[in-house]
Each structure stands twice: as structure tokens, then as C-alpha cells.
Amino acid sequence: MAGILYLCATPIGNLEDMTLRALRVLKEVDLIAAEDTRNSIKLLNHFEIHTPMTSYHEHNKFEKGQLLIGQLLDGKNIALVTDAGTPGISDPGEELVRMAHETGITVTALPGACAAVNALVLSGLPTRRFCFEAFLPTDKKERRQVLEELKRETRTIVLYEAPHRLLRTLQELLEEFGNRSLTVVRELTKKHETVFRTTLAKALVHYTENEPKGECVLVLEGIDMEAVREKQQQDWLLVPLEEHMEHYLSQGMPQKDAMKAVAADRGVPKREIYAQLLRESGKS
Ligand code: SAM
């Protein structure tokens, strides 16, 4: 019989967040695959867990993954832990889970801490619809592409960021998205946990004056499409009607369609546009 792969969440700061189930499973499995064995040994020592450990990380995930799958097929039960939080969330894990499913190995997840979810619920921003973007790519082109897509995102956006890159990210977000509500959640579950409800512009000023420290999650308001539409309507209403019509007619649009487009831009019924055009041409 093949063994089971257990994805075992570990605390993101506060050791009391270790679950009873995770402790039992970590004691009972044959092997613990850890992202950084030097880091995980501290956790295991604290809880007096003496299960053998091996490393499984970003740079050995393919070769080591094959090896672990072999051991699972031989009937060994394996728990996967990462440095902190839920394996598979911006941590190695995804690849091993994929391999396990492909070989028909049972995978189960032991829930626990996850910085993204913890930050979202603390943020005070809408939680019903959100998207998790993890870390923005460091590659310039990819980063631009992701920011371009996120610009139009209406759901609350959750991002991970390292303190030394926080200022640059805030600056880019402000440039790309304009000012928006933001909650910066730092040091979750730790003694100095802070929930800073602010805006992109204010956060930029704050962290320029106060060096960013500690792990953080950015929770950003999605775009308010209603407000964008209203602003666009206000802008169009400042344009004379004839000029607005010309904008579409010059693109080869038939008169009727142009009136429809103009009405939509200005947020008024088409018949109003028709009546106003008639008045302006002196025919009414
Ligand atoms: N797997 C982890 C999870 O479930 O949250 C995430 C690992 S990812 C490599 C590390 C990032 O998570 C950090 O850069 C930070 O953005 C966020 N993070 C982890 N622990 C945190 C904490 N205690 N407070 C705030 N952010 C944290």
C-alpha cells in the first residue's frame, strides 16, 4: 500500500498556532520533508518531535520530488513542511502535490496558519471576493504585465512583500493604480503584529520616513469600476456634444451608432442626445 502525503501547515510566528493534529502527524509519519531543515529542526525540537527529516526546496524539487514519490509508493508516510505557514502557498509544495496526484498517491492537507488569509481578514477591506497574487515578479517585463492586469482587478488584492522591496513596490503600485485604500499587515501572530490601515500615498510617505521592518502582507482595495465610470462620464460631459459626436463619426461610425455611444459615455438616454443635437442645429 502506498503511503500518504500530508501537507502540514506550521506557525507563521506564534508557536501556539501549531495544531494538535499537525503535532500528531509529524510524530507519526516516517519522514518529514522540510523546506529548510535548519529552520524546521527548531520547531521539531520545541515540540520534541524526533521524526527523520530531509530537505525539499525550490532548487531540488524535481529530483527530490521523484525520490519522495518513490518512498511514498514504497508505503512510507511523508509530511511536507515549509519555513512557515501553508505548504504550497508561495512555498514549495505545488510540484510535489502534482506529482503525487499523477502517481495516484493520496494527499491530504492539515490546515493552519497562512499569512495571506490572516492578513485579508484583518485588513478591513472586502473579503468576499479577493485575489492572491503572492510576490510580484522580479523580472521587469513580467512585473509590468502583472501590474497591468491587476490595475483593472475589482477584487481585493493580496500581495506578499519583503521589507527591503516594500518602498519600490508601493511606489510602483501608486504610479500604476493611483491612490487607493491599503492595509499593511506586519508581523502576523507575533508580539509586534500591526495592522496599518492607510492609502498607497500615505504608506509611501510613512515608509520613506520609517524604514520598513519585518514580514508583511499588502492588502489593496480593488478598482471601483462604478467610480471610474462616473469620472469618465463627468469628463465626457465637459466635451461639447458636437465634438463628442465627431469623435465617433470621424472613426466612420454611422450617425445612429455614434449617438448611442455618446449617450452611453455621458450616461444619458439616447433620445436626450437626439433632442439636444436637434436644438443645437436649430431644427427644434
Ligand atoms: N507559505 C506561507 C503562508 O502560508 O503564508 C508564505 C510563505 S512566503 C515565502 C513568505 C511571505 O509570507 C513573507 O514575505 C510575507 O509576505 C508573508 N508572511 C509570512 N509570515 C508572515 C507574518 N508573520 N507576518 C506577515 N507576513 C508574513
Side-chain angles (χ1 to χ4, degrees), residues 227-237 265:
V228 171
R229 265 192 292 274
E230 258 172 46
K231 168 84 176 68
Q232 282 170 344
Q233 275 177 11
Q234 296 306 322
D235 290 348
W236 274 120
L237 285 168
D265 286 345

Side-chain angles (χ1 to χ4, degrees), residues 178-216:
N179 202 12
R180 287 199 197 170
S181 290
L182 167 78
T183 305
V184 183
V185 188
R186 288 180 50 251
E187 300 287 84
L188 278 160
T189 77
K190 301 181 196 174
K191 192 171 165 203
H192 298 293
E193 173 177 288
T194 51
V195 180
F196 178 28
R197 295 201 60 191
T198 181
T199 62
L200 276 172
K202 283 186 192 160
L204 190 58
V205 173
H206 175 84
Y207 288 113
T208 305
E209 290 167 0
N210 306 277
E211 189 195 345
K213 282 189 192 136
E215 298 192 281
C216 71

Side-chain angles (χ1 to χ4, degrees), residues 20 30 34 41 58 72 99 165 202-203 233 252 256 269 284:
L20 294 175
D30 300 293
I41 193 73
E58 197 49 41
L72 283 157
M99 286 178 171
R165 283 197 296 253
K202 283 186 192 160
Q233 275 177 11
K256 244 181 147 178
S284 61

Side-chain angles (χ1 to χ4, degrees), residues 2 33 36 38 52 114 126 133 167 171 209 232 250:
D36 184 342
R38 287 163 309 175
C114 177
E133 202 42 57
L167 268 181
Q171 191 139 23
E209 290 167 0
Q232 282 170 344
S250 64

Side-chain angles (χ1 to χ4, degrees), residues 16-138:
E16 284 179 0
D17 292 332
M18 192 70 185
T19 69
L20 294 175
R21 187 172 166 219
L23 286 177
R24 178 180 58 75
V25 167
L26 288 177
K27 279 183 185 155
E28 286 177 4
V29 290
D30 300 293
L31 184 65
I32 297 173
E35 183 180 10
D36 184 342
T37 51
R38 287 163 309 175
N39 189 52
S40 294
I41 193 73
K42 294 177 205 152
L43 181 84
L44 299 191
N45 283 342
H46 180 86
F47 289 109
E48 295 178 2
I49 296 169
H50 307 292
T51 310
M53 220 183 349
T54 187
S55 71
Y56 175 80
H57 49 71
E58 197 49 41
H59 308 290
N60 73 358
K61 63 183 182 185
F62 294 108
E63 322 84 76
K64 197 56 175 280
Q66 294 293 353
L67 223 80
L68 293 174
I69 293 293
Q71 288 173 291
L72 283 157
L73 287 172
D74 286 344
K76 298 233 181 319
N77 290 318
I78 298 180
L80 177 68
V81 296
T82 53
D83 279 353
T86 300
I89 299 297
S90 284
D91 267 348
E94 179 184 320
E95 191 56 36
L96 190 60
V97 173
R98 189 187 59 75
M99 286 178 171
H101 284 308
E102 275 174 10
T103 31
I105 286 161
T106 304
V107 185
T108 188
L110 278 60
C114 177
V117 175
N118 217 344
L120 175 71
V121 296
L122 280 175
S123 70
L125 289 167
T127 56
R128 192 176 76 80
R129 296 171 68 244
F130 67 95
C131 73
F132 173 56
E133 202 42 57
F135 293 96
L136 288 173
T138 44

